[in-house]
Amino acid sequence: MKRYVLTALIPGALALPAHAQSSVTLYGLLDVGISYAVGSQKAVVNGRPVGGGNQLAMTDGAFGLSGSRWGIRGTEELAAGLRAIFTLESGFTLNNGAFAQGGSEFGRQAFVGIESGAGRLTLGRQYDPHLDIVAPFSAAWQFGGYAATHPGDVDNLLSTRRLNNSIKYTMPKIGGLSAEALYSVGGAAGSNARNSAWSLGAAYDGGAMRLGTAYLSVRNPNVAFYGANPNGGGVAANNLGSLGSATTPESNPLYAGYASANAFDLFGAGASVTWQAATAALIYTNVRYTGLGDVATSGPNPLGYSGTAAINTIELNARYQFAPALLAGVMASLTRSAPVGGHDGAWYRQFGFGASYALSKRTTIYTTAVYQRASGIDSTGNAAVASISGLTPSATHAQTAVRADIAHRF
């Protein structure tokens, strides 16, 4: 991706030591496409979704391979091998020009820090180690886009959610080994744990074989994780999703009933093997909403849940580089929501395809297709419906979506 680098001229620069160099890089990505979904619901009546028919829409690439964004990245060389760094990155929806990430001006990333041979320390709004280390093994990152994430992006593999008030350390790579650690300060008076989060991750890059694993734990996730955007509500609001109503469809029915969880714990692991132009990857994630029923500091509990809700997903994907400009891949995943609240839980089976063709080093066209089938009882206490990420859930147990995009980097 070509960058346009601007040299920052500081008053009195002639008086600075010769090694004190500063630079600022302006960069961005524009991505928009047309999507078609079959059987989207329009409301929930007496616990049963009502179909609204097929849906044709133009949406930003956030629902494809890459959300539109622009950013500024800067560095300044300091003494003793230190370097000051910063990144401000703003997401927006290209089809209507609105801010993404719930209206955040710099909702994708906003941090400042120091780096040296001993590693990198940054503070601000950042990605957690699970996203940095495990997510790249997923089909969603490689070729499938947002629709290929697991239902509702339950394991946050495509950065639906970020962490505010975070302190992050990234160690320098030693051989093929790397690691990250993060702590998000809760900021609640009288309780250092409330609204806080921590995460650890490690990876190994052996060339043909890559491995990665990470753990993320968030206290009061309805507020600190799902509600960490300007449009997020507090304890009284359900930021995880919606149970639907007679006038509105559901949103994230896989886990929308768990807003009262006192903690959100996520473990993930991935592995990939590359042979010539082919790469195959396996990924596993375990999500746990623990301490359900915490209406005082977490969120509403309309279904009266208690205890723990666990969601496990396993995914297998493969991609092939047919030519320098042409990439294609396929994926299959199985998501299991364990029983909670007296029901048997739900199953989600998903299959996806993606292909991209680079018209140049900066401009790419691509297409994706996903099919999902659901069964059992979901977190709303109703029969599970298919819920492809980024789309209005289906009125039935099955859903299909196809998409075509154009993306341009600068």
Side-chain angles (χ1 to χ4, degrees):
M1 177 169 59
K2 185 177 180 180
R3 300 281 198 265
Y4 297 97
V5 180
L6 308 176
T7 301
L9 298 179
I10 304 172
L14 295 178
L16 293 177
H19 65 267
Q21 300 295 321
S22 300
S23 67
V24 175
T25 300
L26 173 66
Y27 65 93
L29 185 152
L30 307 174
D31 188 333
V32 69
I34 302 294
S35 60
Y36 183 78
V38 177
S40 301
Q41 63 178 253
K42 62 180 181 181
V44 177
V45 179
N46 297 324
R48 307 186 71 173
V50 178
N54 301 337
Q55 185 178 26
L56 179 67
M58 175 182 287
T59 53
D60 184 75
F63 301 107
L65 283 176
S66 48
S68 298
R69 84 286 303 258
W70 72 274
I72 304 171
R73 185 179 296 121
T75 64
E76 181 188 13
E77 299 295 333
L78 305 173
L82 294 176
R83 181 167 63 172
I85 57 174
F86 77 88
T87 294
L88 297 173
E89 189 171 279
S90 177
F92 57 91
T93 54
L94 191 62
N95 56 306
N96 60 17
F99 279 129
Q101 290 79 51
S104 303
E105 184 173 2
F106 292 105
R108 293 184 61 89
Q109 300 182 85
F111 63 81
V112 65
I114 298 289
E115 69 178 3
S116 70
R120 176 176 176 176
L121 182 68
T122 50
L123 296 87
R125 178 176 169 91
Q126 304 180 76
Y127 299 123
D128 63 85
H130 182 271
L131 182 61
D132 290 338
I133 293 172
V134 179
F137 292 100
S138 69
W141 264 58
Q142 299 179 72
F143 55 82
Y146 197 73
T149 61
H150 309 142
D153 196 15
V154 60
D155 38 23
N156 201 38
L157 291 179
L158 214 61
S159 63
T160 302
R161 291 160 286 276
R162 291 140 173 100
L163 287 169
N164 295 331
N165 313 312
S166 60
I167 305 165
K168 183 176 179 181
Y169 170 72
T170 304
M171 67 166 277
K173 183 175 287 189
I174 302 175
L177 294 174
S178 60
E180 297 181 4
L182 176 146
Y183 178 73
S184 174
V185 181
S191 175
N192 291 332
R194 184 176 176 180
N195 299 333
S196 66
W198 64 270
S199 181
L200 296 172
Y204 171 74
D205 187 347
M209 174 176 285
R210 296 172 53 244
L211 305 169
T213 186
Y215 190 88
L216 168 66
S217 182
V218 184
R219 292 291 296 271
N220 314 106
N222 181 55
V223 177
F225 197 45
Y226 295 90
N229 290 323
N231 67 351
V235 174
N238 186 343
N239 298 303
L240 275 70
S242 170
L243 306 187
S245 70
T247 57
T248 60
E250 298 169 314
S251 175
N252 301 327
L254 170 62
Y255 54 80
Y258 305 145
S260 65
N262 178 260
F264 169 91
D265 295 293
L266 167 61
F267 168 78
S272 69
V273 176
T274 298
W275 183 73
Q276 294 184 359
T279 298
L282 179 68
I283 188 168
Y284 167 77
T285 63
N286 171 265
V287 172
R288 298 175 66 85
Y289 297 91
T290 62
L292 292 169
D294 178 15
V295 296
T297 63
S298 293
N301 188 21
L303 300 177
Y305 288 140
S306 62
T308 297
I311 300 172
N312 293 280
T313 300
I314 188 167
E315 176 193 316
L316 178 64
N317 64 70
R319 73 174 195 265
Y320 191 85
Q321 194 80 46
F322 289 91
L326 178 61
L327 172 72
V330 294
M331 62 84 65
S333 67
L334 177 65
T335 297
R336 167 61 167 159
S337 175
V340 65
H343 62 70
D344 294 332
W347 295 86
Y348 297 82
R349 296 167 176 83
Q350 183 167 289
F351 305 91
F353 166 82
S356 63
Y357 183 79
L359 299 175
S360 70
K361 292 183 178 181
R362 294 165 53 189
T363 303
T364 301
I365 54 175
Y366 66 89
T367 183
T368 58
V370 174
Y371 172 79
Q372 186 187 108
R373 190 177 185 89
S375 61
I377 305 297
D378 62 29
S379 75
T380 70
N382 300 315
V385 296
S387 179
I388 293 175
S389 294
L391 301 178
T392 301
S394 174
T396 69
H397 62 274
Q399 189 173 35
T400 301
V402 295
R403 183 177 176 87
D405 282 65
I406 181 170
H408 176 79
R409 299 175 182 271
F410 64 90

